[in-house]
Amino acid sequence: MMKALIERLEQKFRISEVVRQRNDELFMTAAKEEAVSLVTYLKEYEGFTHLVLLTAVDWLEAGRFQLTYLLNNNAVKADAGIRVYLDRERPEMESIHHLWKQAATYQRELKEMFGIGFPGSPRVDEPFILEGWRDIPPYRRDFDTKKYSEKTYFPRPGRKTYDPEEYMKKQLYPEE
Amino acid sequence: MADKNKYREKFPEKDPDGSNIIDPESHKFIKVWQGPQHPGITGNMSLELILQGDEVMHCKTHVGYLHRGFEKLMERRRFIQCFPLVCRIAVPEPDFNEYCLAATLEELAGIKVPEAAKWMRTLILEMSRLTSFLMWLGGQSGAFGLGVAGQWTNYVRDLMLDRFEEISGGRIYRMHIPPGGVRGLTPDGFRARMEETLQAVEAAMKDVDRTLFDNAVFKRRTVGLGYIPPEMVDAYGVTGPNARAAGVPKDVRRDHPYLKYPELDFDVITGNDSDVYTRTDLRRKEILLSVDLIRQIMAKMPGSGEYMAKLPNVLHWKIPRGETYIRAECTRGEYGFYTVTDGSGYPRRINVRGPSYTHAVALMEKLAVDCNIADVAGLMSSLHTYPPEIER
């Protein structure tokens, strides 16, 4: 089933890095300008009607974000993940809120947590979880949580800290 | 009902997409916040309601009161250090998080889990589902003023927590499903004590049946409230009991079988029209199904055997580059972990897909409109929303 699907998609779209993770799970990379058409095609013609999730991965070293659209086809019980790479300097993507209502929530969160813009998506600029946040978007990998908490919260006196790695090594592998 | 709609034809006016036009300057509306104080079982989230009289004209969900940044924290932790962290994402049923993380790491690292561990995991997940539903039933009935049913179900839930304590030592966070297997099998005499507990659950459910489902007040208030038509299921990303009550047989246990579910005998329970009453009734049937499944598991699972696969030194555990999505059917619907690894000792990204993410925001904002404000708490309970899995 999946093999035939890949062949059909390859005829219509420029897809690459196709990985069959399991018999019922497929990941592929799509070109940025074709991604929404690919998602729409999968939804309308291939039966992938359920948007499981929409999320981003930060590849800081490569200077790009990866968006992942995960779709599910409940008739044949299969998943298709579509990766899209965005330039980290100007991250912006077409919105898919017209296909699924809940996509607007995902896009609002991505705007807040990764700073990825989705022009036209409803309420995309309203804060979702963080209110009054002024730092860089916190789920980016160059945001240092430890530094932030040291800067924002005062240290409490009398607290001992252990290096977790040393501590666990002593607990788990004392003879090594 | 018909009269009310007739009155509504003129005011407030509607947008082309059917939503009410709210003009605060008209002084015909008031704004009320429901939450973020813990309003029963639904957790700390708030609904910004715009009312005309006592009817909701517009609803906006606000979350962020329980954000602890789990996904970010996990990026800075070794794979094994994520294990004690994930259970805290969903307190009433932490085991689904543990299973999803364990199964993800096992798939990406190519670890084979022993058979006895698979049975044990199935047992833990079903017990977890049962305890979560029992607690939820208290919230649902409490939201409509029937506190007593919740007292009974919480009592039997406590008995089930005793069984958890026997297995793992923990009552709320069991942490029994680490990557590689489980921490142990059942102790001596467990089967008999489990059977006693299951009988107590069944007895309590008979009482709940009479006090809640045959109650005229409950029926009058819930039938027709918060109706989800089947065509909304995919358009709003509805899963789990909310979707099944609309007659859409979506159940991860059957659609994408995992652990030992293919060897268990059960039918996917569906309802006819997904209003609050049908959803409550469907979850009552799910409780009884869980009881049945636990009995089946207890009869089939081995009492001894290998239960933990050999793991590499977990402090230097590196997982090759890859990505996968693992899902499980939790009480609220499809729960899943989307994980990306980059070949290092830390996950590149773990994204938690909680079913409340869609139920509490897009769906709730739609369903609350035209509801009476007194029914909003009950409607929220009936979607079984849980904020920490929205915020992670």
Side-chain angles (χ1 to χ4, degrees):
Chain A
M1 197 292 285
M2 287 304 224
K3 213 175 151 205
L5 174 70
I6 296 169
E7 278 170 14
R8 279 201 299 280
L9 292 178
E10 273 173 344
Q11 280 172 9
K12 291 186 171 65
F13 300 95
R14 281 180 287 138
I15 56 170
S16 54
E17 295 181 282
V18 180
V19 178
R20 280 181 72 177
Q21 179 64 26
R22 289 193 302 264
N23 279 338
D24 62 348
E25 195 176 80
L26 179 73
F27 287 97
M28 65 194 112
T29 303
K32 187 186 166 190
E33 53 279 4
E34 274 188 2
V36 173
S37 336
L38 174 58
V39 169
T40 314
Y41 173 79
L42 284 169
K43 182 187 178 221
E44 302 293 339
Y45 297 100
E46 297 287 351
F48 287 82
T49 50
H50 172 46
L51 173 69
V52 179
L53 57 87
L54 165 57
T55 192
V57 185
D58 187 355
W59 297 100
L60 179 64
E61 309 81 349
R64 60 187 187 177
F65 287 122
Q66 172 192 329
L67 276 185
T68 305
Y69 299 83
L70 195 72
L71 313 180
N72 174 258
N73 182 338
N74 202 40
V76 295
K77 324 289 181 209
D79 294 307
I82 296 132
R83 311 185 205 95
V84 182
Y85 292 111
L86 308 178
D87 181 13
R88 217 167 165 281
E89 295 304 311
R90 274 173 286 102
E92 206 169 82
M93 184 63 196
E94 260 179 84
S95 168
I96 55 158
H97 70 273
H98 57 286
L99 298 173
W100 289 279
K101 296 279 179 200
Q102 81 270 25
T105 320
Y106 285 106
Q107 292 174 171
R108 214 171 125 202
E109 190 190 4
L110 289 173
K111 167 89 198 195
E112 182 177 77
M113 290 302 187
F114 287 91
I116 300 171
F118 292 91
S121 180
R123 293 162 64 191
V124 72
D125 292 319
E126 281 180 37
F128 181 58
I129 287 166
L130 314 166
E131 226 173 57
W133 184 260
R134 292 211 184 88
D135 223 313
I136 62 165
Y139 273 24
R140 289 190 177 195
R141 278 183 88 83
D142 41 2
F143 177 77
D144 191 335
T145 41
K146 193 159 177 274
K147 226 186 225 165
Y148 176 80
S149 69
E150 277 164 4
K151 187 182 78 186
T152 315
Y153 309 105
F154 53 89
R156 277 182 254 168
R159 273 185 87 176
K160 262 190 204 168
T161 48
Y162 299 96
D163 177 39
E165 201 165 332
E166 280 301 306
Y167 183 79
M168 287 306 286
K169 198 177 161 200
K170 235 182 262 170
Q171 293 283 318
L172 286 175
Y173 311 101
E175 63 278 1
E176 251 182 50
Chain B
M1 199 72 183
D3 291 334
K4 195 172 82 180
N5 289 338
K6 199 175 159 195
Y7 161 71
R8 281 279 177 70
E9 274 169 17
K10 287 186 185 148
F11 188 83
E13 286 171 33
K14 289 192 188 295
D15 262 347
D17 67 350
S19 59
N20 296 320
I21 298 176
I22 308 295
D23 175 18
E25 296 298 312
S26 70
H27 297 279
K28 287 190 168 129
F29 303 97
I30 50 168
K31 190 184 274 187
V32 172
W33 289 77
Q34 157 132 345
Q37 290 81 2
H38 217 307
I41 207 79
T42 45
N44 302 84
M45 69 177 216
S46 66
L47 298 177
E48 183 186 345
L49 304 169
I50 293 177
L51 309 175
Q52 193 209 342
D54 57 0
E55 290 193 10
V56 179
M57 295 288 119
H58 187 75
C59 169
K60 253 189 199 182
T61 302
H62 292 271
V63 294
Y65 306 96
L66 292 158
H67 176 65
R68 284 161 284 178
F70 289 112
E71 291 177 356
K72 182 82 180 176
L73 291 173
M74 283 194 274
E75 287 174 21
R76 304 292 166 103
R77 275 160 177 74
R78 290 187 179 278
F79 291 105
I80 201 71
Q81 289 178 309
C82 297
F83 164 62
L85 200 64
V86 288
C87 54
R88 288 156 221 281
I89 301 174
V91 189
E93 34 181 301
D95 312 274
F96 292 95
N97 293 285
E98 293 166 17
Y99 163 70
C100 285
L101 179 77
T104 301
L105 299 183
E106 285 149 12
E107 184 183 311
L108 291 172
I111 293 167
K112 218 171 163 301
V113 181
E115 286 297 293
K118 283 188 185 169
W119 277 109
M120 194 65 200
R121 284 180 175 188
T122 320
L123 175 69
I124 296 267
L125 293 187
E126 266 327 300
M127 285 167 68
S128 182
R129 187 188 320 278
L130 186 55
T131 51
S132 177
F133 270 140
L134 288 169
M135 190 159 99
W136 165 83
L137 196 57
Q140 181 67 79
S141 57
F144 289 106
L146 288 150
V148 66
Q151 307 283 338
W152 296 336
T153 55
N154 271 311
Y155 163 67
V156 286
R157 172 179 178 265
D158 233 53
L159 298 179
M160 197 48 104
L161 295 186
D162 291 344
R163 301 290 83 78
F164 269 123
E165 197 175 351
E166 270 185 62
I167 294 177
S168 67
R171 290 173 72 83
I172 301 300
Y173 296 127
R174 274 74 74 161
M175 296 196 202
H176 204 66
I177 312 183
V182 289
R183 285 202 290 120
L185 299 178
T186 53
D188 290 341
F190 181 80
R191 272 160 214 247
R193 290 191 294 276
M194 182 57 123
E195 182 52 40
E196 250 174 58
T197 309
L198 294 179
Q199 281 172 11
V201 173
E202 282 175 328
M205 287 312 290
K206 271 187 193 148
D207 292 340
V208 170
D209 216 10
R210 286 206 296 275
T211 46
L212 189 65
F213 292 92
D214 294 347
N215 186 310
V217 176
F218 182 72
K219 233 174 169 169
R220 191 73 185 268
R221 287 187 67 182
T222 54
V223 172
L225 173 66
Y227 173 62
I228 305 174
E231 57 272 16
M232 255 172 83
V233 167
D234 273 343
Y236 282 78
V238 184
T239 54
N242 294 339
R244 290 202 287 278
V248 181
K250 264 188 164 185
D251 190 327
V252 180
R253 289 176 289 180
R254 182 50 51 87
D255 297 344
H256 302 271
Y258 55 101
L259 294 175
K260 288 293 173 189
Y261 285 108
E263 292 176 38
L264 301 175
D265 177 29
F266 69 101
D267 288 321
V268 176
I269 303 169
T270 51
N272 270 332
D273 33 27
S274 186
D275 58 8
V276 175
Y277 188 84
T278 317
R279 290 199 284 273
T280 314
D281 190 43
L282 188 122
R283 291 192 178 104
R284 178 185 67 85
K285 289 178 189 151
E286 289 276 348
I287 290 175
L288 299 175
L289 174 67
S290 269
V291 169
D292 182 43
L293 286 178
I294 292 174
R295 284 209 177 102
Q296 288 186 38
I297 296 164
M298 296 303 291
K300 285 184 178 173
M301 76 180 274
S304 60
E306 192 64 44
Y307 56 80
M308 190 72 193
K310 182 114 181 62
L311 289 182
N313 181 333
V314 291
L315 299 181
H316 305 288
W317 192 12
K318 287 187 178 163
I319 292 183
R321 189 173 176 150
E323 66 190 311
T324 189
Y325 176 71
I326 295 282
R327 54 157 72 82
E329 179 76 19
C330 80
T331 52
R332 297 172 301 280
E334 177 182 340
Y335 207 96
F337 273 42
Y338 168 68
T339 307
V340 182
T341 50
D342 54 7
S344 71
Y346 302 84
R348 169 60 67 157
R349 172 109 172 100
I350 297 181
N351 181 247
V352 181
R353 191 241 187 247
S356 302
Y357 196 93
T358 55
H359 296 166
V361 188
L363 186 64
M364 184 69 204
E365 286 176 357
K366 167 93 177 153
L367 292 184
V369 175
D370 287 350
C371 246
N372 193 297
I373 180 146
D375 294 334
V376 170
L379 174 62
M380 211 163 145
S381 285
S382 84
L383 298 177
H384 203 172
T385 58
Y386 191 61
E389 70 185 23
I390 305 172
E391 300 160 17
R392 288 108 55 207

